Amino acid sequence: MAKVPVQFTLNGEETAEFVESGTTLLKALREKIGDMSVKGGCHQGTCGSCSIIIDGDLRLSCLTLAETCDGAAIETTAGLARGGVLHPLQRAFHEGFAAQCGFCTPGMLMAAKVLLDRNPSPSREEVIDAIGGNVCRCTGYEPIIQAILSAARANSVNAA
């Protein structure tokens, strides 16, 4: 297979790599770049565990070809914490016991971040809708929903 050059910004850092044509972004991030924060679950686009943010939109990295991301801004959970300080969503997930096995957590965090970036004060129903593409087999979703609402409240208090 032909190698394709791909350049993008990953969590604020310029990144360049050669990937085989047809390589998924999930595989490129994990195997070529070493960002192990992105999880592969079903590899069919149905579980949401591989969700990342590309140019502000939630995308499934298992269905996105790396070569289509040339010039894009990509965010993964590896880029959420800054300077050793957890992102408010990560802190809320930790404090609210919203991550049990942790496998769905990266996708849930990315879905929640997109939601809060667009709507800093979502309703419970909007949170449920935002994480609807992510499957969790451990928590029953309630701790996740509460953690996202808690992070939204904390952000609104900090912004005031």
Side-chain angles (χ1 to χ4, degrees):
M1 288 221 136
K3 297 261 184 177
V4 179
V6 180
Q7 293 181 303
F8 50 81
T9 304
L10 176 62
N11 299 321
E13 301 287 327
E14 292 299 317
T15 303
E17 191 61 64
F18 284 96
V19 298
E20 290 184 12
S21 182
T23 299
T24 66
L25 187 56
L26 172 65
K27 184 174 183 174
L29 288 171
R30 290 182 59 86
E31 296 178 16
K32 297 289 276 180
I33 296 168
D35 186 339
M36 303 306 275
S37 73
V38 185
K39 303 295 182 208
C42 68
H43 298 276
Q44 297 176 359
T46 58
C47 75
S49 66
C50 70
S51 297
I52 58 171
I53 301 170
I54 302 176
D55 293 330
D57 293 324
L58 192 66
R59 299 270 300 274
L60 298 169
S61 63
C62 75
L63 297 182
T64 302
L65 296 179
E67 60 201 86
T68 66
C69 297
D70 197 48
I74 300 172
E75 296 175 68
T76 69
T77 54
L80 288 179
R82 298 286 181 192
V85 177
L86 292 178
H87 185 278
L89 280 165
Q90 291 171 307
R91 193 169 35 257
F93 268 58
H94 174 74
E95 291 170 358
F97 303 102
Q100 289 184 11
C101 85
F103 206 81
C104 73
T105 304
M108 291 286 189
L109 287 167
M110 293 289 93
K113 184 176 186 307
V114 168
L115 171 66
L116 296 183
D117 285 351
R118 294 179 179 169
N119 179 2
S121 299
S123 67
R124 178 181 172 79
E125 292 74 28
E126 290 167 322
V127 170
I128 292 168
D129 186 55
I131 64 170
N134 297 75
V135 176
C136 175
R137 291 174 175 87
C138 299
T139 69
Y141 298 95
E142 192 58 36
I144 295 168
I145 295 164
Q146 291 306 315
I148 296 167
L149 291 170
S150 175
R153 284 190 300 273
N155 278 344
S156 67
V157 168
N158 293 333

